[in-house]
Amino acid sequence: MVETYKRTSNPMMNRPVVKAELVEWMRSSQTQITGELAEVLKFAKENNIPVIPHETVIYFQMLLSLLQPKRILEIGTAIGFSALIMAQEVPNAEIVTIDRNPEMIELAKKNLGKYDHRNQIILKEGDAADILKELSGSFDVIFMDSAKSKYIEFLPIALDLLSENGVILMDDIFQGGEILTPIMEIKRNQRALERGLRKLFDEVLDNPKYLTSILPLGDGLLMIKKA
Ligand SMILES: C[S@@+](CC[C@H](N)C(=O)[O-])C[C@H]1O[C@@H](n2cnc3c(N)ncnc32)[C@H](O)[C@@H]1O
């Protein structure tokens, strides 16, 4: 068992916001992941490492196939599963992915060494708050899958790094539906996360500066584009 996730598996993974039978049906009826990446997924499941759920994988494949991004930025590599899925879908894209957890970085390096056959993926080690400031050029897709409280803090720099028609994707924004609970009724240790998400919603959900869309995939996927 990987140390970090032994006690801290994501409770939202098991709290689907869409009817459980429908989630199960989406996961079992859409094309399955096979081959090398199925091994990476198996390892993630066995070690309770949260990675994008199957319906999100399928959606990313569709979206990336339509957008054909040249550069993708990911915040939250974990063991490299989502980065490898994206690399497989757009073989000519460069993918920059950031993680700060040494244990995850070690596992990601192993997986990228084995499965990033076209050397598309650049792993940046450190806190995204620091790394984002060092990045240059623009990205056509920016995928945030890290600490949810920080999405709102990363948004301005992500917008600066976003290409003109680029899109920002943020995962796990429903928190199993807890975003609807009054803040004082939420466990103290969850409040920073919830406050961060609510600030994000206030900024992007009804603002003429952005086009935003919420997709009920996994624990909620938010898409933001400059209007
Ligand atoms: C949900 S996992 C990412 C899963 C991955 N995107 C996938 O689907 O295969 C979240 C990762 O974000 C990393 N993380 C969280 N906050 C971060 C930050 N501020 N900077 C860099 N990495 C961060 C954690 O170390 C963890 O490995």
Side-chain angles (χ1 to χ4, degrees):
M1 178 78 65
V2 174
E3 196 59 32
T4 313
Y5 289 100
K6 224 164 25 188
R7 293 172 303 277
T8 59
S9 69
N10 180 355
M12 302 312 159
M13 284 176 90
N14 304 318
R15 287 169 53 185
V17 289
V18 172
K19 249 181 164 180
E21 310 89 275
L22 281 174
V23 174
E24 189 43 46
W25 175 74
M26 282 196 284
R27 289 180 184 173
S28 59
S29 61
Q30 299 191 94
T31 309
Q32 297 299 300
I33 296 163
T34 54
E36 297 171 335
L37 297 194
E39 291 298 310
V40 181
L41 183 60
K42 184 165 170 266
F43 181 89
K45 284 192 176 147
E46 285 170 358
N47 290 280
N48 244 340
I49 295 165
V51 298
I52 49 170
H54 192 58
E55 60 275 23
T56 305
V57 169
I58 299 286
Y59 177 66
F60 276 18
Q61 288 172 336
M62 166 68 90
L63 184 72
L64 297 179
S65 159
L66 291 169
L67 296 178
Q68 290 295 317
K70 292 194 173 52
R71 283 187 95 206
I72 299 173
L73 171 63
E74 175 181 68
I75 307 175
T77 317
I79 61 172
F81 175 70
S82 51
L84 286 163
I85 287 281
M86 294 192 279
Q88 193 178 55
E89 193 54 45
V90 270
N92 296 319
E94 176 186 275
I95 299 166
V96 176
T97 182
I98 307 171
D99 210 290
R100 65 180 176 190
N101 178 321
E103 207 179 352
M104 290 299 113
I105 290 168
E106 200 189 313
L107 292 164
K109 278 183 178 166
K110 272 193 199 144
N111 284 330
L112 300 186
K114 276 204 250 174
Y115 306 126
D116 178 21
H117 301 297
R118 289 171 293 269
N119 292 323
Q120 290 170 263
I121 303 173
I122 300 163
L123 175 60
K124 301 261 185 197
E125 302 174 31
D127 198 299
D130 305 317
I131 307 268
L132 285 171
K133 291 182 207 146
E134 296 163 9
L135 296 175
S136 56
S138 64
F139 294 88
D140 308 303
V141 171
I142 299 180
F143 175 43
M144 294 191 199
D145 191 14
S146 52
K148 320 304 161 200
S149 59
K150 301 283 178 190
Y151 286 175
I152 182 67
E153 287 176 33
F154 296 158
L155 181 65
I157 190 149
L159 287 164
D160 284 346
L161 290 167
L162 196 65
S163 63
E164 199 178 326
N165 279 310
V167 63
I168 299 175
L169 301 153
M170 298 178 175
D171 204 17
D172 300 322
I173 56 119
F174 286 153
Q175 291 299 298
E178 245 173 31
I179 51 162
L180 302 177
T181 305
I183 204 93
M184 296 316 283
E185 290 173 26
I186 287 173
K187 279 194 205 137
R188 234 168 238 281
N189 64 0
Q190 287 291 310
R191 281 186 203 156
L193 184 159
E194 294 284 343
R195 285 206 174 94
L197 279 177
R198 284 158 210 224
K199 266 195 212 160
L200 173 74
F201 299 148
D202 287 346
E203 170 64 19
V204 302
L205 292 189
D206 183 18
N207 184 334
K209 284 195 318 202
Y210 316 106
L211 282 176
T212 49
S213 178
I214 299 170
L215 279 70
L217 294 171
D219 190 30
L221 185 70
L222 181 65
M223 297 180 71
I224 307 167
K225 189 182 172 303
K226 291 176 202 162

